[in-house]
Amino acid sequence: MQLRLDPLLPESLAPSISSACQRRPPPTVIAVCSADPLLSDEACTVVRRVLREQGFTERESDTPDRSFDWRSWLANAHSPSLFSARRLLELRLPTGRPGIEGGKTLIAWAHAGSDQAMLLLRLPRLDRALSGTAWFSAVSEQGVVVSAPDMPSSSLPTWIAGRLKAQGLSAEPAAISWLAARCEGNLSAAHQEILKLAFIPRANAEEPITLEQMQASATDQARFNPFTLGETLLGRDAQRSLRVIRALREEGEALPILVWSVAQACRRLPPDQSLPALQALARIDTMVKGLSSEDPWMALERLALSLARPASMQTS
């Protein structure tokens, strides 16, 4: 069963989770897939609350590494609780790669879990590589998959306005737009700034927060996801593309990841646009490997500007 988290209304996930847990046979596992820490946390919070209401009051959490004993975990998962409570067993898999033994264990649990325990998996973004694994297929077939995709930048002002309202606050449109630009790609930072605003004294707390007040309170928290750079460039917004590339450079992101991300996106373009872009990326790759004296970052910026031009100008 597949569910989708609405980042603007995370609590709307609760009825769907509750309904899914009432089906027969009940799910053995709930997987939350997201690359954003805040959305993942909020989805898991909703899942925990729903399960607590259904009697899963004992919680155990692990983050498996290479030395993790999957056999012992499975034996413990099937053993009864010492306190006669139903248990919520959480596993964090930041890479989405449990290994061979872990994959076999997850398949076994998905097909033959326990009515006294529920497995909550915290996974990265749901992509083709993850969804194509045998263990994830078993989880999807026997359990519930909650996907929390990255929030598009166009939705961020609405999200910020909603979070401000939840804190009893409001802000001028210019202030909201400014915070959205400063924290783009980092919902956790935006959330923290909003919480901080609630404790800052103002002459008239009933008035909307002004741009000047927002600027005085907030700090630059922009953080961009290297894996979505390709989508950014295909947005054809030259100013934003350059801002993202320069921010990633300052953060020390590895260029091979950026080249891969852009190449994946460019392959979806029409042939007359994808071929020149992929050729440019091949040249950038030689720069990254030290086979050319050119600056790969500057070359990536030139590619971003090229992609931002209308298709008619690119072929003229």
Side-chain angles (χ1 to χ4, degrees):
M1 182 178 185
Q2 298 270 350
L3 299 176
R4 185 183 178 93
L5 175 73
D6 181 352
L8 300 177
L9 296 168
E11 283 301 318
S12 64
L13 179 65
S16 298
I17 293 293
S18 180
S19 176
C21 290
Q22 298 298 325
R23 74 186 190 194
R24 292 292 179 268
T28 55
V29 54
I30 298 175
V32 173
C33 304
S34 179
D36 188 280
L38 181 65
L39 295 183
S40 179
D41 285 345
E42 293 189 340
C44 288
T45 297
V46 172
V47 171
R48 293 188 196 107
R49 180 172 60 78
V50 171
L51 292 178
R52 192 180 307 116
E53 293 171 354
Q54 298 188 8
F56 293 88
T57 56
E58 188 178 335
R59 177 184 167 199
E60 301 175 13
S61 180
D62 288 291
T63 303
D65 55 19
R66 291 184 178 180
S67 62
F68 189 72
D69 190 339
W70 285 97
R71 291 185 180 181
S72 295
W73 178 88
L74 186 60
N76 174 68
H78 280 290
S79 62
S81 168
L82 296 175
F83 304 100
S84 300
R86 302 176 81 186
R87 293 180 297 161
L88 174 60
L89 309 174
E90 293 190 21
L91 289 179
R92 295 171 177 258
L93 297 173
T95 66
R97 298 176 180 176
I100 296 175
E101 191 66 30
K104 292 179 179 178
T105 302
L106 293 175
I107 291 174
W109 178 266
H111 288 286
S114 168
D115 59 358
Q116 295 301 307
M118 177 72 76
L119 173 59
L120 173 58
L121 282 178
R122 296 191 62 165
L123 302 171
R125 176 188 293 106
L126 180 56
D127 56 17
R128 185 176 300 177
L130 178 59
S131 61
T133 60
W135 66 266
F136 185 84
S137 295
V139 167
S140 180
E141 291 170 3
Q142 304 298 324
V144 179
V145 175
V146 178
S147 177
D150 294 338
M151 182 186 297
S153 56
S154 59
S155 298
L156 192 53
T158 303
W159 182 85
I160 290 174
R163 294 295 166 125
L164 286 168
K165 184 177 180 180
Q167 296 297 319
L169 302 171
S170 64
E172 296 176 349
I176 291 176
S177 297
W178 183 86
L179 183 60
R182 301 293 277 186
C183 295
E184 183 179 356
N186 194 341
L187 297 185
S188 297
H191 183 60
Q192 290 301 318
E193 293 292 353
I194 291 167
L195 294 179
K196 185 169 66 175
L197 285 167
F199 294 95
I200 294 178
R202 293 184 290 133
N204 188 344
E206 300 299 320
E207 291 291 326
I209 297 168
T210 65
L211 174 60
E212 292 73 18
Q213 291 170 331
M214 186 75 79
Q215 290 174 328
S217 168
T219 56
D220 190 352
Q221 296 288 349
R223 177 184 62 80
F224 299 101
N225 189 335
F227 295 100
T228 60
L229 177 61
E231 301 298 331
T232 300
L233 267 58
L234 293 195
R236 301 188 186 281
D237 183 333
Q239 184 176 2
R240 181 170 185 267
S241 294
L242 293 181
R243 179 171 179 244
V244 172
I245 290 173
R246 291 167 185 173
L248 290 171
R249 183 175 188 173
E250 291 178 3
E251 293 170 6
E253 291 292 347
L255 268 167
I257 294 177
L258 306 185
V259 171
W260 175 87
S261 171
V262 177
Q264 293 294 106
C266 286
R267 289 190 177 98
R268 303 200 304 269
L269 293 170
D272 62 326
Q273 298 176 44
S274 64
L275 182 57
L278 293 173
Q279 290 173 337
L281 287 168
R283 290 192 293 271
I284 294 173
D285 187 55
T286 63
M287 300 172 200
V288 174
K289 295 175 179 176
L291 302 177
S292 171
S293 59
E294 293 185 68
D295 184 344
W297 288 101
M298 292 301 297
L300 189 58
E301 289 190 9
R302 289 195 298 271
L303 175 60
L305 293 174
S306 174
L307 290 171
R309 290 185 298 171
S312 59
M313 292 182 62
Q314 294 181 32
T315 55
S316 60

